[in-house]
Amino acid sequence: MDTLKDPANDRHVKTLKPPPHRPLTKSLMFPDKLKNKPDWKLLKDHLQKEGRVSKEDLYKLVGDCNKLLKNEGNVIYLQDPLTVVGDIHGQYYDLLKLLEPKVGGNPETTKYLFLGDFVDRGSYSIEVIILLYAIKLNYPNTVYFLRGNHECRQLTAFFNFKDECLYKYDQETYDMLMDSFDLFPLACIINSKFIAIHGGISPDLKSLEDIKKLDRYHEPPRSGLFCDLLWSDPVDQDQGNLDGQWKGNEVRGCSWFFGNDAASKFLQKNNLISIIRAHEAQLDGYKMHRWHGGKDFPVVITIFSAPNYCDVYNNKGAVIKFENNTLNIQQFQYTPHPYLLPNFMDIFTWSIPFVAEKVTEMLYNLLQVGDQVDDEEVNEEDIKQFKELTQQNKKFDKQSTTGSNNAKNTEKLKKKILFVANMIKMQKTLREQSESIIQLKGACPDKRLPRGVLTAGKSAIMDALADFNVAKNADIVNEKMPTMAQSPQQSISINKSTNSTTSKTKKK
């Protein structure tokens, strides 16, 4: 595809190639030689260059993939060799790294199972979906998807996937993709010994038949087995101990924590040896929950495949590779990606802090009446100067006929200058630390920085970006399921037997 033209020859970074000028044409995306299947390799390179796909071709891609997803069961069964992938979260350039032969494996020769959370948080979720759907259409018997908790209307509206769809396409495209996510299977049995799910097990899960009986073709509910498969977590305790088998999951705002007793009971009853799941960021990209002791096989294995999560976690990504009944962990580092302003912000909105700083400086100078006042405090000498100035001002004299009124007005001026001085400090921090603030906002998709960060200055911002644990703690509020008021109500119901779809409104 032709790249964007530069007729004025004023492109500042000549070594950075401009993105493709137009969306990929249908004849290139669906070449005749592939018999109506997408050319995923061409797509991969096109999207890597920040190219786009037309809405018409995107609809065809998703529609064709839906036919495959709709006919897969709630529980799928796979044998090794197999690569298991955890959360991706819109990190397209890290997905490209993952698909390399030395990491996850070439999709042409590798069987893949993705455990969900393809979208949100990162800025390239659309690209992730397009590439993975294209790969699945080429290799329908070796590429499989499970549903994550982010493949739903509640979270994609709360985080940034809906914004991304509106920025790159429109509301209709967002609704179409949400309907597609309703088709994803919920669990996978690997080598007849491992159960793979996105979140975890449930008090309502006694056997695999309970999963098979679920109606999965709709928005996940806020409680029950369907919810727990996407939301529950293993307890963060070395021995997996809990007071009882289950504990309410206050971190998620829904579902449960499960421990060694609940996990072991479920595995034993179903003749399985371990639970493989995603759903939680890990410093090393994975975690082995060895609740039976260091020498025993882990009861739970968590895998996370989004390195440097949200551009602030500084964690590694990892995948699980099964081969000949052997399990190996393959780690990988993050890949640099093109820079985008947070939440697909336009340049005008981004520039507001800089403009605000200048406006605040003007206000500050007006209130000073020409004198310089320290940013940090207003001393008694400043007050004395203001008293002298106000005494010389005839208008002010008329308003200040008594000593009491004069003192009150002086105090008001002092408070105004203190306020503007604090505003200047905040605006100065916004301007000088804009890059760090934008990184910190990557962990705060509610668009709010932690309270007090701006007034505390540069040190507080850098501390908030210091390491994985700090980033994870700062981001923990975003691990919760959104409240009812934040959740959209549109859902979809699908009758599998007739392959028909009907949209309807459901209250969750």
Side-chain angles (χ1 to χ4, degrees):
M1 296 295 292
D2 293 336
T3 57
L4 286 171
K5 306 299 182 183
D6 184 19
N9 196 31
D10 59 354
R11 187 172 176 84
H12 291 287
V13 184
K14 303 294 185 181
T15 56
L16 182 63
K17 293 182 179 180
H21 190 198
R22 297 182 178 87
L24 200 63
T25 63
K26 188 169 185 176
S27 60
L28 290 175
M29 184 168 170
F30 297 98
D32 293 337
K33 64 180 181 180
L34 294 180
K35 299 180 180 179
N36 212 31
K37 292 180 180 179
D39 187 339
W40 71 271
K41 294 180 181 179
L42 181 64
L43 259 176
K44 176 174 72 72
D45 294 338
H46 179 71
L47 297 174
Q48 187 177 18
K49 298 172 184 174
E50 298 185 84
R52 297 289 178 84
V53 170
S54 71
K55 181 178 176 180
E56 179 185 357
D57 290 340
L58 176 60
Y59 269 59
K60 173 176 170 50
L61 179 77
V62 175
D64 290 348
C65 198
N66 285 349
K67 296 174 184 178
L68 299 176
L69 295 168
K70 193 183 303 183
N71 290 318
E72 293 174 350
N74 287 0
V75 181
I76 55 182
Y77 292 82
L78 299 176
Q79 297 290 324
D80 66 21
L82 174 70
T83 297
V84 180
V85 181
D87 298 32
I88 298 173
H89 280 299
Q91 298 184 196
Y92 178 75
Y93 293 84
D94 295 312
L95 173 63
L96 298 184
K97 179 71 174 180
L98 186 157
L99 295 175
E100 290 180 359
K102 293 183 178 180
V103 184
N106 188 331
E108 292 179 304
T109 57
T110 305
K111 190 183 301 180
Y112 272 99
L113 173 66
F114 294 85
L115 300 183
D117 275 12
F118 304 92
V119 302
D120 278 334
R121 310 309 292 271
S123 299
Y124 299 94
S125 297
I126 290 281
E127 286 78 3
V128 167
I129 292 298
I130 290 175
L131 179 60
L132 289 181
Y133 274 38
I135 293 174
K136 182 168 179 63
L137 284 173
N138 280 273
Y139 313 109
N141 298 318
T142 57
V143 177
Y144 296 90
F145 309 146
L146 299 186
R147 192 171 192 171
N149 63 309
H150 277 261
E151 277 72 62
C152 72
R153 296 160 185 82
Q154 300 172 48
L155 288 188
T156 52
F158 179 71
F159 287 92
N160 66 329
F161 181 61
K162 184 175 183 179
D163 290 339
E164 182 180 344
C165 290
L166 298 179
Y167 174 73
K168 296 177 180 177
Y169 292 97
D170 51 29
Q171 177 70 39
E172 187 180 21
T173 301
Y174 169 75
D175 292 335
M176 178 268 295
L177 290 170
M178 289 300 103
D179 293 348
S180 180
F181 294 162
D182 286 335
L183 306 178
F184 285 8
L186 303 177
C188 176
I189 301 300
I190 303 171
N191 289 354
S192 302
K193 291 297 181 183
F194 301 87
I195 181 170
I197 43 185
H198 178 75
I201 57 176
S202 167
D204 299 323
L205 179 60
K206 309 302 179 183
S207 72
L208 298 180
E209 291 301 317
D210 296 322
I211 303 178
K212 294 176 181 179
K213 292 176 183 177
L214 285 173
D215 173 17
R216 79 175 192 258
Y217 303 104
H218 58 81
E219 180 79 353
R222 302 183 68 87
S223 62
L225 175 56
F226 192 169
C227 170
D228 296 338
L229 291 172
L230 309 184
W231 280 95
S232 70
D233 292 303
V235 63
D236 188 12
Q237 207 274 343
D238 289 343
Q239 283 75 45
N241 294 331
L242 271 178
D243 292 334
Q245 294 189 19
W246 307 92
K247 177 186 175 184
N249 195 331
E250 67 277 2
V251 174
R252 303 291 185 179
C254 67
S255 195
W256 306 91
F257 284 116
F258 61 92
N260 187 27
D261 289 346
S264 297
K265 182 178 179 180
F266 168 77
L267 292 172
Q268 184 176 6
K269 184 176 180 180
N270 290 275
N271 196 29
L272 300 170
I273 63 174
S274 185
I275 300 166
I276 296 176
R277 42 94 64 175
H279 196 40
E280 284 186 291
Q282 301 295 334
L283 179 60
D284 294 319
Y286 72 98
K287 183 175 181 179
M288 303 287 188
H289 303 263
R290 299 182 184 275
W291 292 337
H292 291 160
K295 294 183 179 180
D296 289 340
F297 198 86
V299 179
V300 179
I301 302 173
T302 298
I303 194 74
F304 195 79
S305 304
N308 197 25
Y309 183 41
C310 297
D311 286 336
V312 296
Y313 271 60
N314 294 317
N315 62 292
K316 294 179 182 178
V319 297
I320 300 175
K321 304 183 79 169
F322 282 93
E323 189 169 3
N324 297 325
N325 285 313
T326 301
L327 181 154
N328 293 298
I329 301 291
Q330 178 67 55
Q331 296 173 300
F332 62 102
Q333 298 284 0
Y334 80 97
T335 301
H337 60 79
Y339 181 78
L340 289 178
L341 293 171
N343 304 302
F344 309 99
M345 189 187 305
D346 60 79
I347 191 67
F348 177 77
T349 305
W350 174 79
S351 67
I352 286 177
F354 301 89
V355 177
E357 182 190 12
K358 295 303 179 184
V359 172
T360 307
E361 285 181 356
M362 293 169 60
L363 176 61
Y364 183 65
N365 289 328
L366 286 172
L367 287 174
Q368 280 193 108
V369 199
D371 284 349
Q372 295 296 320
V373 179
D374 187 84
D375 286 358
E376 301 295 333
E377 61 182 9
V378 178
N379 55 37
E380 293 300 322
E381 183 64 25
D382 296 323
I383 298 174
K384 182 179 178 181
Q385 291 178 7
F386 269 101
K387 285 182 179 180
E388 293 174 357
L389 288 168
T390 53
Q391 288 171 359
Q392 296 173 8
N393 190 310
K394 293 180 180 181
K395 293 181 180 180
F396 185 81
D397 286 341
K398 292 179 181 179
Q399 298 174 0
S400 307
T401 55
T402 65
S404 175
N405 287 338
N406 191 22
K408 287 181 179 178
N409 286 324
T410 302
E411 185 63 25
K412 287 181 180 179
L413 283 171
K414 176 183 176 182
K415 289 181 178 179
K416 286 180 180 179
I417 291 190
L418 279 171
F419 170 75
V420 177
N422 284 330
M423 285 292 294
I424 283 184
K425 183 175 182 180
M426 291 176 65
Q427 298 298 341
K428 185 177 181 181
T429 302
L430 274 171
R431 177 175 55 81
E432 293 181 348
Q433 303 301 321
S434 60
E435 190 73 20
S436 297
I437 289 168
I438 287 171
Q439 288 183 9
L440 185 56
K441 274 193 172 184
C444 305
D446 56 355
K447 304 175 178 67
R448 292 179 294 178
L449 292 170
R451 186 183 296 273
V453 164
L454 290 181
T455 54
K458 176 180 178 180
S459 60
I461 295 171
M462 300 313 295
D463 287 345
L465 293 169
D467 56 29
F468 174 83
N469 290 327
V470 173
K472 189 173 183 179
N473 289 335
D475 194 34
I476 199 166
V477 65
N478 296 308
E479 297 298 328
K480 284 191 175 184
M481 177 183 282
T483 63
M484 293 284 286
Q486 296 168 315
S487 302
Q489 303 298 313
Q490 187 67 25
S491 186
I492 186 170
S493 179
I494 296 178
N495 186 331
K496 181 181 175 184
S497 60
T498 61
N499 289 340
S500 63
T501 64
T502 55
S503 294
K504 62 183 180 181
T505 299
K506 291 186 178 181
K507 291 184 178 179
K508 299 298 179 214

